[in-house]
Amino acid sequence: MRISPLFCALSLCVCGVPAVFSQAVPPPAQPGNSPAQPVTFPAQPPQAQPASPPADAPYRNANLPVEQRVADLLSRMTPQEKASMLAGSGWMESTPIPRLGIPAIKMADGPMGVRSWMGSSAITSAANAPAKIEATSFPAGVCMAATWDTPLVQKEGQAIAQEVKALGRDMILGPTVNINRQPLWGRNFEGYGEDPYLSGRMGVAYVQGVQSEGVIPSVKHFDANNEEYERHRINATISDRALHEIYLPAFKAAVEEGNAWNIMSAYNLVNGAHMAENIPLLHNVLQNEFGFQGFVISDWGSTYSTAPTINAGMDLEMPGGQRAQQWMALPQTAQAGNGDLWLTPDKVMAALTAGQIQQTQLDDNVRRILRVIIGSGLFDHPHPGGGEVDTPAQRAVALQGATEGIVLLKNDGNLLPIDTTKVHSIAVIGPDAGVARTGGGGSSLVRPKYAIAPFDGIRDRAGNAVKVSYALGVGMEGEDPAQDSTETRAADLRQAVEAASHADLAVIVVGRDNKIESEGHDVPTMELPAGQDDLIEAVEKANPHTVVVLNTGDPVTMTRWVDKTAALLDMWYGGQEGGHALAAILFGDADPSGKLPVTLPKRYEDNPAYGHYPGQNLQVDYAEGIYVGYRYYDTKKVEPAFPFGYGLSYTTFQYDNMGATPRLARTGNTSEFGVTVDVSVQNTGTRAGAEVVELYVHENKPKIDRPERELKAFQRVELQPGETKWAHFRLNRSAFSYWDPATRAWTTDAGEYEIQVGASSRDIRQKKIIKIPASFLNPR
Ligand code: BGC
């Protein structure tokens, strides 16, 4: 953390601990996992409340620089007021200080839109409106990542922020940028897939969109929240290199490029310390290495101590207040791994008095929160609410995301797009066909005003010309026990086969629901839920013109049927417009342009974390190191079902004319090393389409073991039939560097690199070897 000397001096001279707090007090509760001991703090003698500062106090002046206002405000706060800001006042609100005009930060869960929230607010309070808030349900993060469309993700962030404000809130708890380490994390759907660079681009875009509206995002969950299993207690052992190359870059990008105002600390431990008190990662990396200036918020109930948490730079504990106390009193809260609130004002003051935290530290925590309250505009322009949500413009963004995110995995014999001159009847089948499965479960699940199921979308689009029928095929395992019996299963299957055999085309939508794929627990198996493989096989046998659609966030095993399947799509969780998006792709109104942000392995046993998940005795060893996702499959030559970056289109693209040139650009006295890469892409088909051009870097003779290739740039190019466009890239030093465990620093070696440009990690269309001379890396 870079604390300016001005701030230290200011805080020391004006914020001395008053005598009343230096009297003997019981020691504060001990940090760690021991059962929480309530701290009883002696009753304070009544204190005269300082008067409210004058209307012309510098901190109230919107024309002054943020840092000056923050310093002024901090100088006027009592120690108790400062301490009170480290805890929430409700389930979704920070603590306001009315005397100074400091507002509560009113939060809403995300990241896929505004989730209805619990707690005090004008809108959800019993006296006022219906308790449940409805808002636009945007596609899951993994679906947005499959678009590779950063401007669109930025628009999504902006649309969500507009809804946040319309509903009278100030902060959205998203984006989720945790890496998909293995196929069974219950929250894989929320994040942006397996690649740190792609996750970083998406995270930055989301943050920029949200912040452009003066709304505070929360980049979560810092760090290495890659499984739900025992999330309060699991300790992930991760090498420094894997942290820097895989699990930190998306946060780094959000901070350094997105200038993110907030980061959420994760529940889990990393290398022996809970994330909320993890000095190496919070203080040394986030604050010192990345230069993070905003505040850190805890995940809900992810604090486990007082002084160590504050000293590590974890600034705001959530939730707080009465609602949080009731929650903590529940036996299941303690069972899950927490049973107390740790940053309540009494505990913070006791730790201060006992010298376990310094006044300068407390000032730093508070300063960070104030910096965001003032810097985001919240102080000067509160969000009164009363605006509109789910507007046509917001819906359009949701629809575009759902459409661009759909990945066409197979299309034998050009079964798709549906040719309505030949197809007059469609049987829509499956446990995910008649219900809109908009997202996975847990805190990210938005309650939309409406949601389009695949069957609705297909029927709406087909109009009267094509007869569309529906059959369940098989109930979603565990959803309705009545549908799980052997007899009902057999009857449902018969009906589906019947429907398929009488239709020109069958569309089966399989996958999971938001109970199976959810926050709070991992997915038990990579297999599809009971009966779904049987359903696919039976329907494909009855009708070879069958399209299989996956409606999941995680990879699933497809071995039994995938080779025989003619057409296969992955629609992920598409939010409220998922059904319309699917129909647009099936009928060819939109060209499929989504690409996999995650490898789909053939078998669960093939995944890099196999044998090292979920861990034993609450210890999980990230033994695969940096070999996550395609870094593993491509380097170790493990054949996946579908590789990272893969996705077909209804048209075809030709890559040509690749050039790659290392350069030393001089500006005045400084020289900057970079490599320019250009490649032309032509749409060689007869339909308009978009191609995501992926750029990977491979080092020829690395000094240290390195993955076969690493994604370092990409560009989504829209092309009319026959049209050619150039994709231009400028790679900087970071595209060639690795984290050297020996020096504990990013290192770039001179030598030979192969720049690979292609349509997936396994479909490299053009490559060029470049030589980077040492003189370019260390210019004089
Ligand atoms: C989740 C967070 C969420 C928070 C508030 C936690 O359980 O992990 O992602 O923002 O709850 O609902």
Side-chain angles (χ1 to χ4, degrees):
M1 171 61 208
R2 300 173 200 136
I3 305 173
S4 83
L6 169 72
F7 286 140
C8 294
L10 261 177
S11 38
L12 280 174
C13 64
V14 295
C15 304
V17 181
V20 63
F21 287 109
S22 48
Q23 68 197 8
V25 292
Q30 288 308 301
N33 284 330
S34 52
Q37 298 299 316
V39 175
T40 44
F41 197 74
Q44 301 299 316
Q47 292 176 30
Q49 172 85 331
S52 269
D56 64 353
Y59 78 87
R60 298 195 200 266
N61 183 347
N63 296 320
L64 293 178
V66 173
E67 293 303 320
Q68 190 183 335
R69 296 175 70 190
V70 169
D72 178 55
L73 183 47
L74 198 62
S75 75
R76 296 171 189 272
M77 294 176 76
T78 66
Q80 294 91 328
E81 283 171 336
K82 291 177 185 173
S84 76
M85 288 202 68
L86 269 46
S89 63
W91 193 261
M92 281 279 160
E93 290 85 20
S94 71
T95 298
I97 303 185
R99 178 181 80 83
L100 298 165
I102 301 175
I105 304 172
K106 299 192 271 3
M107 306 163 195
D109 241 321
M112 275 83 92
V114 182
R115 181 203 191 202
S116 189
W117 58 88
M118 267 200 276
S120 54
S121 92
I123 300 170
T124 54
S125 70
N128 262 312
K132 293 288 178 195
I133 298 300
E134 290 171 336
T136 308
S137 158
F138 291 86
V142 71
C143 180
M144 293 306 292
T147 70
W148 300 59
D149 190 343
T150 39
L152 179 63
V153 174
Q154 184 162 347
K155 272 199 215 162
E156 181 207 14
Q158 191 175 2
I160 291 173
Q162 286 162 353
E163 296 203 340
V164 168
K165 288 198 290 192
L167 291 164
R169 312 304 287 178
D170 315 311
M171 178 163 176
I172 183 82
L173 303 179
T176 301
V177 298
N178 294 117
I179 295 294
N180 179 330
R181 171 181 179 243
Q182 46 80 27
L184 301 183
W185 183 33
R187 300 181 83 169
N188 273 331
F189 67 89
E190 263 186 68
Y192 295 124
E194 70 189 24
D195 181 72
Y197 179 76
L198 178 60
S199 302
R201 295 335 305 152
M202 296 288 142
V204 168
Y206 188 104
V207 163
Q208 286 175 338
V210 170
Q211 292 189 175
S212 70
E213 289 288 322
V215 168
I216 307 164
S218 183
V219 187
K220 65 193 191 181
H221 310 82
F222 187 81
D223 187 25
N225 180 184
N226 309 111
E227 58 188 73
E228 291 301 275
Y229 172 77
E230 285 281 6
R231 65 179 177 172
H232 284 274
R233 300 186 179 96
I234 195 82
N235 175 40
T237 301
I238 313 177
S239 70
D240 216 28
R241 184 171 178 202
L243 280 169
H244 279 86
E245 291 192 19
I246 307 292
Y247 299 102
L248 289 168
F251 290 98
K252 181 178 160 90
V255 170
E256 291 182 354
E257 295 168 63
N259 190 25
W261 292 331
N262 177 265
I263 300 279
M264 185 187 288
S265 70
Y267 284 109
N268 47 286
L269 299 89
V270 173
N271 295 334
H274 267 116
M275 277 313 307
E277 52 197 64
N278 199 308
I279 290 181
L281 289 174
L282 277 182
H283 183 79
N284 301 355
V285 172
L286 185 64
Q287 294 184 352
N288 283 356
E289 216 174 290
F290 301 168
F292 179 58
Q293 297 288 312
F295 70 99
V296 177
I297 194 170
S298 74
D299 199 343
W300 269 229
S302 75
T303 48
Y304 309 89
S305 66
T306 303
T309 300
I310 294 171
N311 288 331
M314 210 306 293
D315 309 299
L316 171 57
E317 176 185 68
M318 287 299 289
Q322 220 184 350
R323 187 65 189 76
Q325 279 160 14
Q326 288 161 0
W327 182 51
M328 286 298 171
L330 298 174
Q332 55 267 39
T333 311
Q335 260 161 33
N338 204 343
D340 207 357
L341 302 173
W342 297 93
L343 301 197
T344 51
D346 58 342
K347 288 185 188 167
V348 176
M349 290 307 300
L352 192 66
T353 309
Q356 293 172 334
I357 54 172
Q358 301 302 310
Q359 185 66 52
T360 46
Q361 177 61 57
L362 178 60
D363 283 355
D364 185 47
N365 300 93
V366 175
R367 183 183 299 114
R368 288 171 174 280
I369 303 173
L370 294 177
R371 183 180 285 141
V372 173
I373 290 179
I374 293 181
S376 69
L378 173 60
F379 187 88
D380 304 313
H381 309 286
H383 305 140
E388 229 189 310
V389 298
D390 197 29
T391 62
Q394 288 151 353
R395 281 183 193 179
V397 174
L399 175 62
Q400 193 182 342
T403 312
E404 287 185 10
I406 292 176
V407 183
L408 178 63
L409 295 168
K410 281 191 83 178
N411 194 17
D412 293 353
N414 291 338
L415 185 60
L416 294 175
I418 296 170
D419 180 350
T420 46
T421 61
K422 294 192 186 126
V423 173
H424 304 294
S425 57
I426 303 174
V428 184
I429 298 167
D432 287 33
V435 189
R437 313 269 187 203
T438 57
S443 56
S444 65
L445 194 62
V446 174
R447 165 188 283 251
K449 290 187 178 160
Y450 70 91
I452 308 298
F455 172 67
D456 300 329
I458 294 169
R459 195 196 40 202
D460 290 355
R461 169 60 179 79
N464 295 332
V466 181
K467 193 172 149 256
V468 182
S469 62
Y470 166 75
L472 176 67
V474 61
M476 177 63 69
E477 185 180 350
E479 195 168 45
D480 175 2
Q483 260 154 4
D484 280 347
S485 76
T486 322
E487 299 72 41
T488 318
R489 284 258 170 88
D492 286 342
L493 186 62
R494 266 199 309 276
Q495 223 174 37
V497 167
E498 180 75 10
S501 58
H502 289 110
D504 294 334
L505 184 88
V507 177
I508 319 179
V509 191
V510 293
R512 305 200 177 105
D513 66 0
N514 59 33
K515 291 201 182 58
I516 303 176
E517 236 175 89
S518 171
E519 176 184 341
H521 57 82
D522 286 334
V523 181
T525 165
M526 208 173 99
E527 305 299 313
L528 279 168
Q532 298 192 16
D533 286 324
D534 295 337
L535 174 68
I536 298 171
E537 283 188 320
V539 169
E540 285 184 342
K541 217 163 142 198
N543 189 338
H545 294 154
T546 291
V547 181
V548 177
V549 180
L550 302 172
N551 189 186
T552 66
D554 289 323
V556 294
T557 316
M558 299 178 271
T559 331
R560 269 176 58 185
W561 42 266
V562 71
D563 290 340
K564 286 168 264 161
T565 298
L568 177 64
L569 293 163
D570 198 335
M571 70 176 286
W572 317 101
Y573 294 115
Q576 67 185 34
E577 286 288 344
H580 282 150
L582 178 63
I585 294 288
L586 289 172
F587 285 92
D589 304 336
D591 190 71
S593 59
K595 300 263 186 123
L596 291 176
V598 60
T599 307
L600 301 184
K602 282 192 171 157
R603 310 175 311 150
Y604 174 67
E605 294 76 7
D606 292 342
N607 94 78
Y610 182 68
H612 296 281
Y613 159 82
Q616 277 180 339
N617 304 322
L618 304 178
Q619 302 295 324
V620 55
D621 183 10
Y622 284 29
E624 73 285 359
I626 56 167
Y627 294 97
V628 174
Y630 68 92
R631 284 169 167 73
Y632 168 80
Y633 296 100
D634 288 6
T635 310
K636 313 285 176 193
K637 314 235 176 316
V638 178
E639 192 68 30
F642 297 100
F644 175 82
Y646 176 82
L648 301 170
S649 157
Y650 295 149
T651 184
T652 46
F653 302 99
Q654 164 102 18
Y655 292 57
D656 280 308
N657 305 313
M658 180 182 170
T661 318
R663 288 181 199 283
L664 205 54
R666 286 190 190 277
T667 333
N669 282 338
T670 56
S671 306
E672 210 195 319
F673 156 72
V675 175
T676 51
V677 180
D678 309 286
V679 66
S680 70
V681 190
Q682 186 184 14
N683 180 346
T684 45
T686 52
R687 299 174 49 98
E691 172 70 334
V692 177
V693 180
E694 303 163 31
L695 187 157
Y696 298 88
V697 172
H698 163 92
E699 185 172 357
N700 269 357
K701 287 190 191 124
K703 288 188 183 159
I704 181 171
D705 67 305
R706 296 193 72 175
E708 179 61 22
R709 60 180 58 85
E710 294 179 85
L711 182 77
K712 294 298 173 187
F714 60 86
Q715 203 172 311
R716 202 171 180 281
V717 189
E718 313 257 353
L719 292 163
Q720 293 302 315
E723 192 184 8
T724 301
K725 279 187 188 161
W726 285 89
H728 300 287
F729 303 96
R730 190 171 201 290
L731 304 175
N732 61 22
R733 175 186 291 258
S734 70
F736 303 91
S737 59
Y738 58 89
W739 181 264
D740 187 349
T743 56
R744 308 196 75 194
W746 287 103
T747 305
T748 317
D749 291 330
E752 253 183 34
Y753 291 84
E754 187 171 275
I755 312 291
Q756 310 175 338
V757 173
S760 86
S761 84
R762 298 215 171 191
D763 183 9
I764 302 302
R765 305 281 182 88
Q766 299 260 297
K767 46 192 183 189
K768 272 255 144 53
I769 291 179
I770 56 159
K771 283 200 174 108
I772 301 182
S775 59
F776 275 27
L777 296 172
N778 308 301
R780 275 184 294 149

